[in-house]
Amino acid sequence: MSIKLDDKHKALIEKIGIAHEEKGLQPVAGRILGLLYVSPRPELTFDEIRETLNISKSATSTALNLLMHIGHIDYTTFSGNRKRYFRLKVGNWRDLIQGEIEKVIKMSHVLKEVLAVRGDETPTFNCSIEEFADFMQFMHKEFPVLLQRWEQTKNKE
Amino acid sequence: MSIKLDDKHKALIEKIGIAHEEKGLQPVAGRILGLLYVSPRPELTFDEIRETLNISKSATSTALNLLMHIGHIDYTTFSGNRKRYFRLKVGNWRDLIQGEIEKVIKMSHVLKEVLAVRGDETPTFNCSIEEFADFMQFMHKEFPVLLQRWEQTKNKE
DNA sequence: ATATTGGTTCTTAAATTTTAGAACTAAAAG
DNA sequence: CTTTTAGTTCTAAAATTTAAGAACCAATAT
């Protein structure tokens, strides 16, 4: 059974798909995320996804496993039903953003390595690199504080 | 004239290259960034880059133009010398990070579009999406404050 | 004017990624 | 135990990306 969607929904799926492609996901994986965002029912089976997006079983399987691997989706099951119901782990957005911040800290470590191999002949240049690295570490340290501050303004409303 | 580099430097170039590939750059462009980070002389000519990295003129030209286009590098010239001396715009890191933040705000707008097409049948799901979008906008708003706070702690030292 | 330097652009080859199709498997249903 | 369901895995075709090679061009030097 494929999910019926109007043109607005379909356009939005592509938009979300492309946004995720830009971050390095394969097109099919991006579209699956798009579908799971706009689908009226937020838990869809393998075949609903496959048929709605007109993709092969192999592409569906590979993309779903990738998305589970990187923590974007998971699935539930219901007893007496062998199907898996795939869904976005949106409640998980804090961890997803935290993951991005961890990439930033990695880059700052690489920059520190750069500083270690550079001579003292280029003080201004070195100083910019150090600033960049330091700010990344500052961001990493301050992120949990920022998140907490947001949670609080949220509660006040 | 190719730049002489030891194995430590070469390994670091590849590391920086791969880090940038992961963010969507082509390998050659990533390596050029790596070279410009570790090179003892921070301003290199077209041919120094080409020869040091063993890449073709076309690949060098295309990658340099791409890197200039996305604001990662620029070049100086010296009168009486037709060569361009390419260099990292590291002093520019504030703008580069700001650019990332702008991508975040775009995603939050897409999520707001998602909310606009979703019905009220999935309140918990919708609420997570809204939180995600709101936090992104909060981050965008707070980023300049964070940066300013960092500049101040910097001055105190 | 002619040659050389410092690149750019066009075409194409090679590598990589992405997806489809078909064969397969494990669990459950009949 | 045979069949169906729900997917997985393997192979390979198609699409895309990446980079090389060669021809080209504009500015300077001779």
Side-chain angles (χ1 to χ4, degrees):
Chain A
M1 270 327 126
S2 99
I3 305 293
K4 269 169 203 145
L5 298 167
D6 60 31
D7 290 352
K8 213 168 173 178
H9 285 73
K10 285 179 192 168
L12 203 40
I13 289 174
E14 295 305 311
K15 200 167 184 173
I16 296 168
I18 288 172
H20 283 94
E21 271 183 68
E22 282 169 7
K23 293 183 178 173
L25 277 190
Q26 343 161 287
V28 166
R31 276 189 205 109
I32 290 177
L33 290 181
L35 172 57
L36 291 174
Y37 267 111
V38 306
S39 165
R41 216 172 356 104
E43 296 181 347
L44 302 181
T45 67
F46 188 100
D47 270 317
E48 283 171 335
I49 293 168
R50 199 182 67 67
E51 288 174 33
T52 306
L53 297 178
N54 278 299
I55 51 182
S56 69
K57 288 175 87 176
S58 57
T60 309
S61 175
T62 308
L64 285 174
N65 285 321
L66 168 67
L67 290 172
M68 285 195 284
H69 197 75
I70 62 178
H72 266 83
I73 64 172
D74 63 1
Y75 62 84
T76 7
T77 47
F78 298 98
S79 67
N81 183 346
R82 213 136 55 88
K83 286 184 182 113
R84 285 137 95 180
Y85 288 80
F86 295 95
R87 61 188 182 193
L88 278 178
K89 288 174 76 175
V90 254
N92 209 27
W93 62 263
R94 286 166 186 80
D95 295 343
L96 288 180
I97 295 196
Q98 184 66 50
E100 294 299 312
I101 300 286
E102 297 305 327
K103 285 181 200 165
V104 167
I105 201 82
K106 265 186 197 166
M107 191 60 201
S108 85
H109 292 324
V110 175
L111 292 186
K112 290 288 185 181
E113 280 190 74
V114 167
L115 287 171
V117 305
R118 290 199 67 77
D120 311 350
E121 269 96 87
T122 56
T124 314
F125 185 71
N126 294 14
C127 185
S128 286
I129 294 177
E130 187 157 22
E131 277 186 350
F132 194 8
D134 282 352
F135 180 68
M136 286 184 189
Q137 305 205 0
F138 179 75
M139 264 187 80
H140 180 258
K141 188 166 63 68
E142 289 296 321
F143 180 75
V145 182
L146 196 74
L147 187 56
Q148 219 173 359
R149 220 147 46 75
W150 177 80
E151 311 274 14
Q152 277 169 9
T153 65
K154 194 91 219 182
N155 286 342
K156 270 186 208 155
E157 276 166 26
Chain B
M1 270 324 126
S2 100
I3 305 292
K4 268 169 204 147
L5 298 167
D6 60 32
D7 290 352
K8 213 168 175 180
H9 284 73
K10 286 180 191 164
L12 203 41
I13 289 174
E14 294 306 310
K15 200 167 185 173
I16 296 168
I18 288 171
H20 284 93
E21 272 183 68
E22 282 169 7
K23 293 184 177 172
L25 277 190
Q26 343 161 288
V28 166
R31 275 188 207 111
I32 291 177
L33 291 181
L35 172 57
L36 292 174
Y37 268 111
V38 306
S39 165
R41 216 173 354 106
E43 297 181 345
L44 301 182
T45 67
F46 188 97
D47 270 317
E48 283 171 336
I49 293 167
R50 198 182 68 66
E51 287 175 33
T52 306
L53 297 177
N54 278 299
I55 52 182
S56 69
K57 288 174 88 177
S58 57
T60 309
S61 176
T62 307
L64 285 174
N65 285 320
L66 168 67
L67 290 172
M68 285 196 285
H69 198 73
I70 61 179
H72 265 84
I73 65 172
D74 63 2
Y75 62 85
T76 7
T77 47
F78 299 96
S79 69
N81 182 346
R82 219 143 44 92
K83 288 184 182 113
R84 285 136 97 183
Y85 287 80
F86 296 94
R87 59 186 182 195
L88 279 178
K89 288 175 76 176
V90 254
N92 210 26
W93 61 265
R94 287 165 184 81
D95 295 344
L96 289 181
I97 296 196
Q98 185 65 48
E100 295 299 310
I101 301 286
E102 298 305 328
K103 285 181 199 164
V104 167
I105 201 82
K106 266 187 195 164
M107 192 61 203
S108 85
H109 292 323
V110 175
L111 292 185
K112 290 288 185 183
E113 280 190 73
V114 167
L115 286 170
V117 305
R118 291 199 66 77
D120 312 348
E121 269 97 86
T122 55
T124 313
F125 185 71
N126 293 14
C127 184
S128 286
I129 294 176
E130 188 158 21
E131 278 185 347
F132 193 9
D134 283 353
F135 179 69
M136 285 183 191
Q137 303 205 1
F138 178 76
M139 264 186 78
H140 180 257
K141 188 165 62 66
E142 290 295 322
F143 179 74
V145 182
L146 197 72
L147 186 56
Q148 219 172 0
R149 218 146 50 72
W150 177 79
E151 310 273 16
Q152 278 169 7
T153 65
K154 195 91 219 180
N155 286 341
K156 269 184 209 158
E157 279 166 26

